[in-house]
Amino acid sequence: MIKTLFTVAMAAGLGLSASAALAQTATSPTLDAIKAKGYVQCGVTGGVPGFSAPDENNVWAGLEVDYCRAVAAAIFNDAEAVRYTPLTAQERFTALSAGEIDILSRTTTWTMSRDTQLGIKVVGTMFYDGQGFLVRKEDGIASALDLSGAAICIESGTTTELNAADYFAANSLEFNTVVFVDQDEVVKAYEDGRCDVYTTDSSALAAERSKFADPSAHVILPDIISKEPLGPVVRQGDDGFFNVARWTYFALLEAEELGVSSANVDEMLASDNPAIKRLLGVEGDFGTPLGLTKDWAYQIIKLVGNYSESYEKHVGPSTAIGLARGLNALWRDGGIQYSPPIR
Ligand SMILES: N[C@@H](CCC(=O)N[C@@H](CS)C(=O)NCC(=O)O)C(=O)O
């Protein structure tokens, strides 16, 4: 069913043209199915601390898990209405296409071929990353250019494999890989000394290093050889759910930009700032056209927090992962995280 929401007269007030005024509530089979079953099925990693991994209470936690929780908060007013499916890199897109999961939130790089050839859509960039190299400190390696012929541990079905091949070829280095399907095998092979080098997204290197018996015995080389914009992914062809997924991500950013957090969101309901009123559904209704309620973003912020809260809690400088905001700072703070306006 397609429902006309705005009259032409109302549209004038929204700054929309008469044709754009025929805005619609898109139907979303995915959203309907999620509502019917009562939870969001979220595809995650097998365990990358800070991104998605079981915590000390065996509860899934991390920046990418918080994104799944935010979607559930927006739909159900309940951030815990999520079930998690751990997936290897090779399994992830098939699981999404086959409908085994609703959202893939699993250290997944946005590339053109994935976005245009797999029947999927990347929602946005939750974490701007780049590929790096982890080596043993005792080996005294200073640069990736010193890695010719070194045994390199890699997970298959990743951009990691392709970038490393490009880099070694471009620099005329001998490329010698040891490839595994499972991340645990990759890490174990590196720890056992079967490889000299472990390469993947540098955030994941920091995450894995934090789990080693002696993290200080390993160094991440300064070289970053690729762009790895990591983001959630949904199936192509359900624009309604794509919008829910995308604006959930933007709401996390917009909340940070406007200074709205889980701690102050209730006070912020009384704010005079029109942008905060729109975000929280105090003025206007941006939720109903998504198939949600008008306090959708209030629920996200109240139950999960804003982007900065998730970042600092799971991967920020005060965590064992210890990642500075860098490119993931908001645009006004020197990074490139940016939400379009909610209006
Ligand atoms: N971002 C790259 C790499 C993704 C990837 O699979 N990274 C590994 C490195 S830690 C991972 O998340 N493994 C977790 C697992 O296999 O459970 C991609 O999208 O291809």
Side-chain angles (χ1 to χ4, degrees), residues 4-154:
T4 303
L5 279 182
F6 301 121
T7 63
V8 173
M10 281 167 70
L14 296 173
L16 303 174
S17 68
S19 57
L22 297 174
Q24 297 155 354
T25 299
T27 52
S28 167
T30 310
L31 183 58
D32 290 348
I34 289 172
K35 286 179 178 173
K37 68 187 173 183
Y39 58 88
V40 178
Q41 191 81 42
C42 199
V44 290
T45 70
V48 176
F51 287 81
S52 55
D55 68 11
E56 60 280 2
N57 302 316
N58 221 22
V59 175
W60 283 95
L63 184 69
E64 294 183 324
V65 164
D66 270 359
Y67 173 76
C68 299
R69 299 175 66 242
V71 173
I75 298 173
F76 296 114
N77 302 350
D78 177 3
E80 310 321 318
V82 187
R83 293 191 190 173
Y84 298 95
T85 307
L87 296 164
T88 65
Q90 276 188 343
E91 292 166 336
R92 60 186 150 175
F93 300 118
T94 320
L96 182 61
S97 302
E100 290 165 22
I101 55 174
D102 303 308
I103 295 180
L104 178 70
S105 187
R106 191 213 168 280
T107 59
T108 294
T109 304
W110 186 350
T111 69
M112 183 168 177
S113 58
R114 287 174 176 176
D115 207 22
T116 61
Q117 298 170 27
L118 295 182
I120 62 166
K121 294 310 292 174
V122 181
V123 168
T125 305
M126 274 298 282
F127 189 91
Y128 289 93
D129 210 338
Q131 184 173 336
F133 299 92
L134 184 77
V135 296
R136 276 176 280 275
K137 196 180 262 173
E138 65 187 18
D139 288 343
I141 297 165
S143 152
L145 295 172
D146 300 335
L147 295 177
S148 191
I152 304 176
C153 270
I154 295 194

Side-chain angles (χ1 to χ4, degrees), residues 44-319:
V44 290
T45 70
V48 176
F51 287 81
S52 55
D55 68 11
E56 60 280 2
N57 302 316
N58 221 22
V59 175
W60 283 95
L63 184 69
E64 294 183 324
V65 164
D66 270 359
Y67 173 76
C68 299
R69 299 175 66 242
V71 173
I75 298 173
F76 296 114
N77 302 350
D78 177 3
E80 310 321 318
V82 187
R83 293 191 190 173
Y84 298 95
T85 307
L87 296 164
T88 65
Q90 276 188 343
E91 292 166 336
R92 60 186 150 175
F93 300 118
T94 320
L96 182 61
S97 302
E100 290 165 22
I101 55 174
D102 303 308
I103 295 180
L104 178 70
S105 187
R106 191 213 168 280
T107 59
T108 294
T109 304
W110 186 350
T111 69
M112 183 168 177
S113 58
R114 287 174 176 176
D115 207 22
T116 61
Q117 298 170 27
L118 295 182
I120 62 166
K121 294 310 292 174
V122 181
V123 168
T125 305
M126 274 298 282
F127 189 91
Y128 289 93
D129 210 338
Q131 184 173 336
F133 299 92
L134 184 77
V135 296
R136 276 176 280 275
K137 196 180 262 173
E138 65 187 18
D139 288 343
I141 297 165
S143 152
L145 295 172
D146 300 335
L147 295 177
S148 191
I152 304 176
C153 270
I154 295 194
E155 184 165 341
S156 61
T158 58
T159 50
T160 317
E161 269 184 299
L162 311 173
N163 298 325
D166 285 355
Y167 180 82
F168 277 67
N171 291 290
S172 305
L173 306 174
E174 188 194 331
F175 191 40
N176 172 20
T177 56
V178 187
V179 178
F180 298 91
V181 174
D182 206 290
Q183 174 192 231
D184 292 344
E185 289 173 320
V186 185
V187 175
K188 183 163 188 318
Y190 171 76
E191 272 193 295
D192 290 350
R194 284 180 64 193
C195 309
D196 307 305
V197 187
Y198 173 30
T199 183
T200 186
D201 303 336
S202 55
S203 63
L205 293 179
E208 289 306 322
R209 182 173 60 173
S210 75
K211 293 196 287 192
F212 289 164
D214 179 9
S216 68
H218 305 267
V219 285
I220 297 173
L221 299 178
D223 316 71
I224 297 293
I225 65 163
S226 69
K227 292 184 288 189
E228 306 294 326
L230 309 180
V233 184
V234 294
R235 275 182 295 281
Q236 189 172 315
D238 186 338
D239 291 353
F241 190 59
F242 178 77
N243 284 340
V244 169
R246 181 158 72 170
W247 285 92
T248 295
Y249 159 61
F250 287 146
L252 294 167
L253 295 178
E254 186 75 347
E256 178 182 355
E257 184 168 338
L258 294 171
V260 184
S261 69
S262 59
N264 69 13
V265 66
D266 285 313
E267 286 158 49
M268 287 291 189
L269 288 170
S271 166
D272 293 333
N273 180 333
I276 294 179
K277 289 183 164 188
R278 286 192 297 272
L279 174 70
L280 300 182
V282 173
E283 204 168 271
D285 179 356
F286 297 87
T288 304
L290 289 174
L292 306 174
T293 50
K294 73 177 190 169
D295 68 348
W296 64 286
Y298 166 88
Q299 297 294 342
I300 293 172
I301 303 160
K302 175 86 180 168
L303 301 173
V304 179
N306 64 33
Y307 181 83
S308 154
E309 290 181 87
S310 285
Y311 191 99
E312 298 304 332
K313 179 171 176 194
H314 298 297
V315 296
S318 68
T319 67

